Amino acid sequence: MQELIKASTATDGVLLLTLNRPEKRNALNNATLQCLCELLEEAEHNAQVKAVVLTGNAQCFAAGADLSELAAMDAVTLQLDIRPKLWQKIDAFSKPLISAVNGYALGAGFELVLHSDMVVCGENARFALPEITLGMLPGAGGTQRLARLVGQQLTMRWAMTGEMISAKQAEQHGICSQVVPTELTVEYAVQLAAKIAKQAPLAIRVIKQSIKSIHETTLSQGIKFERQNFVWLAATKDRNEGINAFFEKRKPVFRGE
Amino acid sequence: MDYQTILVEVKNAVGYLTFNRPKSLNSFNVDMHTEVAAVLKQWSSDPAIRCVVISGSGRGFCAGQDLGDRVVDPNAASPDLSYSIQTYYNPLIKTIANMPKPVICAVNGVAAGAGANIALACDLVIAAKSANFVQAFCRLGLVPDSGGTWFLPQLVGPARAMGLSLLGDKLPAQTAKEWGMIWDVAEDNELTDKVTQLAEHLAKQPTFGLSLIKKAIRQSSDNSFEEQLQLEADFQRIAGRSEDYREGVQAFMQKRSANFQGR
């Protein structure tokens, strides 16, 4: 069987995952999502992996869920579907997850992008939530995550029309952090990941946790949580190393301890 | 393929597209739009074509929209002129601007209305001495379309863009050249030779690199200085990986002329 996702061995702490069902425009069927979860699970426990870059191909990041799979399901089978659990697993991944988006990221493909911590996109990138054109709605957090990112106005518009969002619009509205020439998207995403991979892993971990908590809690609770993380980091060796290296004017060597 | 409204020829890696409705000064009707779009779309992605030349047959280049093709009865319901712009003219202008190879316009005679602006969308414009450019829209109560209000101020500055668009006077080819609106002027009987020579030269050049130059210059009007510097760095990185760059450097070291493949 053809690999659903190609995983390149982690170099410099960066693991590159490439969605690999080009004939299906990288449609995210359950098997592919499951495969992604397994790879992330491995990455979670592999100390060599400091950050993960997720990409598709030049024409397509992922063009949605697998419609034939979805069409076969009714209200009862959907109720028992494992899919929401798979999305939860992706959400729970504790290391930085960066999407490198070229071409189409539609429906579930867009929702997968919205699960990642940072997005670098090529100038040919196009995002949309076209579920409405099929009489459905986004089912993997699309309405929730997008609204928290860009607000009610644009989310209503995009979810109710299925309109395409260009790379430039995505950048303007904070869906991605950077737009680059399509040929360089993966390189730039890997560079970004490599930069993060050089930092203290425990600090990166709590930064991710602190920032992700904003949607779960109030500002005052969030500030307490941040402070706890701040105090907790003081017990790590890497923090001492970071401060010492600064005073000694040398590059720190972080060990994740 | 058989075309009714255009002439098409491919020679020495150059695609020649000639508007061919000389009786109506090569003005656009739906058939011509459809045929032009099909040819340009195919040439866009065809690596065997490394330069495109657009010109007109007969005494004019292109008189823009064929008014005979539109509802002009003053008592009829108002037409939606934006329909043909969004369906035909805007895609045509974008196709020319985004074509990953040089597009030369040989303006053999009058270029009026959308015809003038289609010429301005091309990368290099060479006009016959007797040709002229007319932003005729204002005379009908319309607005320059097909990119006119964008290209003109970029090319000749707002003052001249205003004058041309508000007055709709003929601008002779020679003045257009002096104003920097077009690249060059040729004697009427030398236009074809001059354009062919230029096109065949470009068709032997590193096409992929030229496409990046074109893209960079076109993006410059959208970008800040900082963004443009970054874009240059990115494009240079991409260009540096092309086969033609390798060949170019090798040819230089070996003191021979380069044999570029366009990729």
Side-chain angles (χ1 to χ4, degrees):
Chain A
M1 202 182 89
Q2 172 201 13
E3 280 177 292
L4 296 169
I5 299 177
K6 278 194 259 180
S8 80
T9 39
T11 45
D12 301 327
V14 180
L15 174 69
L16 177 65
L17 300 179
T18 308
L19 298 169
N20 184 35
R21 291 177 81 208
E23 72 289 350
K24 296 275 181 197
R25 308 213 303 158
N26 290 334
L28 296 169
N29 60 356
N30 281 5
T32 306
L33 272 191
Q34 198 135 26
C35 178
L36 177 59
C37 287
E38 282 161 18
L39 289 164
L40 290 179
E41 179 78 24
E42 276 172 37
E44 186 80 61
H45 300 297
N46 182 350
Q48 301 303 310
V49 177
K50 307 289 197 320
V52 174
V53 172
L54 177 62
T55 192
N57 56 48
Q59 288 78 39
C60 214
F61 178 79
D66 194 316
L67 269 185
S68 45
E69 202 173 79
L70 205 53
M73 302 186 82
D74 60 15
V76 175
T77 45
L78 271 173
Q79 181 73 41
L80 303 170
D81 195 8
I82 58 159
R83 231 172 141 81
K85 290 239 161 54
L86 299 176
W87 288 114
Q88 275 171 16
K89 281 188 186 165
I90 297 168
D91 188 38
F93 182 57
S94 75
K95 298 176 182 179
L97 176 62
I98 300 172
S99 285
V101 182
N102 283 326
Y104 295 106
L106 311 179
F110 189 9
E111 290 172 301
L112 179 55
V113 172
L114 292 170
H115 273 77
S116 57
D117 301 313
M118 275 161 281
V119 181
V120 174
C121 65
E123 53 195 12
N124 76 339
R126 297 286 178 277
F127 305 85
L129 294 175
E131 286 88 348
I132 183 61
T133 63
L134 304 168
M136 304 193 301
L137 87 163
T143 64
Q144 302 302 300
R145 287 201 163 82
L146 190 58
R148 282 167 163 79
L149 208 52
V150 306
Q152 173 183 320
Q153 290 300 319
L154 286 168
T155 307
M156 285 276 185
R157 178 172 177 145
W158 289 335
M160 290 184 175
T161 61
E163 276 173 0
M164 272 310 169
I165 305 161
S166 68
K168 198 165 190 177
Q169 280 176 298
E171 189 182 31
Q172 275 167 356
H173 299 296
I175 295 170
C176 69
S177 68
Q178 190 184 6
V179 178
V180 301
T182 304
E183 294 94 325
L184 301 177
T185 313
V186 176
E187 271 176 72
Y188 269 106
V190 169
Q191 265 179 31
L192 175 61
K195 222 186 258 183
I196 292 164
K198 287 199 189 75
Q199 314 300 328
L202 295 169
I204 291 292
R205 187 185 169 94
V206 292
I207 286 174
K208 175 163 171 169
Q209 281 175 4
S210 300
I211 295 174
K212 284 195 83 162
S213 79
I214 60 168
H215 299 309
E216 309 293 341
T217 183
T218 62
L219 177 62
S220 59
Q221 288 299 316
I223 286 170
K224 274 183 200 155
F225 182 52
E226 182 195 78
R227 190 67 199 172
Q228 282 166 10
N229 285 330
F230 193 82
V231 171
W232 177 77
L233 270 189
T236 65
K237 289 183 185 159
D238 279 350
R239 178 180 179 271
N240 285 341
E241 166 64 9
I243 294 173
N244 287 340
F246 177 80
F247 284 132
E248 291 163 16
K249 300 189 164 103
R250 60 174 174 82
K251 285 203 169 141
V253 181
F254 295 121
R255 300 182 194 286
E257 293 166 5
Chain B
M1 270 281 259
D2 257 2
Y3 297 105
Q4 306 303 313
T5 64
I6 54 175
L7 302 171
V8 170
E9 194 196 358
V10 175
K11 201 179 162 191
N12 298 330
V14 180
Y16 296 88
L17 168 65
T18 307
F19 303 144
N20 190 31
R21 301 181 70 229
K23 281 179 197 155
S24 45
L25 285 176
N26 303 319
S27 59
F28 270 90
N29 59 11
V30 169
D31 287 345
M32 190 156 115
H33 273 301
T34 312
E35 294 186 349
V36 168
V39 170
L40 291 182
K41 188 184 170 204
Q42 200 250 315
W43 286 357
S44 250
S45 57
D46 183 350
I49 293 194
R50 292 169 61 188
C51 180
V52 170
V53 173
I54 297 176
S55 67
S57 68
R59 62 194 174 88
F61 167 68
C62 174
Q65 173 64 33
D66 187 337
L67 292 177
D69 213 37
R70 276 190 177 163
V71 182
V72 283
D73 176 357
N75 297 317
S78 297
D80 178 6
L81 298 188
S82 128
Y83 174 80
S84 69
I85 289 180
Q86 293 188 340
T87 315
Y88 302 115
Y89 288 100
N90 285 358
L92 168 62
I93 298 296
K94 286 186 203 171
T95 304
I96 294 171
N98 297 332
M99 181 94 60
K101 52 201 81 178
V103 182
I104 303 174
C105 189
V107 182
N108 52 300
V110 67
N117 297 333
I118 288 165
L120 300 184
C122 298
D123 305 317
L124 290 170
V125 186
I126 318 270
K129 212 159 226 173
S130 67
N132 46 55
F133 296 83
V134 198
Q135 296 292 330
F137 305 89
C138 58
R139 299 185 194 174
L140 291 167
L142 297 180
V143 178
D145 59 25
S146 302
T149 62
W150 196 89
F151 292 126
L152 282 170
Q154 296 267 335
L155 290 167
V156 299
R160 284 167 169 166
M162 280 291 182
L164 290 172
S165 305
L166 293 175
L167 300 171
D169 290 343
K170 281 184 184 174
L171 182 73
Q174 189 57 42
T175 318
K177 182 186 172 179
E178 283 158 17
W179 286 5
M181 194 171 100
I182 63 172
W183 175 243
D184 209 356
V185 172
E187 294 296 339
D188 287 11
N189 58 0
E190 289 169 7
L191 178 69
T192 310
D193 283 351
K194 201 165 180 175
V195 167
T196 307
Q197 208 180 3
L198 183 66
E200 293 193 348
H201 162 77
L202 285 171
K204 292 197 189 92
Q205 297 303 302
T207 311
F208 177 67
L210 299 189
S211 78
L212 291 175
I213 294 175
K214 173 171 170 173
K215 208 167 158 187
I217 290 177
R218 290 198 181 264
Q219 285 194 15
S220 67
S221 49
D222 285 345
N223 280 347
S224 68
F225 177 56
E226 295 276 335
E227 287 169 332
Q228 193 67 11
L229 287 178
Q230 180 61 48
L231 177 144
E232 287 177 1
D234 286 345
F235 281 16
Q236 208 70 299
R237 175 180 289 171
I238 298 169
R241 292 172 186 170
S242 67
E243 288 175 28
D244 282 344
Y245 172 64
R246 197 164 288 233
E247 163 65 10
V249 172
Q250 260 174 15
F252 179 80
M253 306 286 257
Q254 296 166 0
K255 299 189 166 96
R256 59 174 173 82
S257 60
N259 178 23
F260 295 119
Q261 302 301 312
R263 54 179 189 261

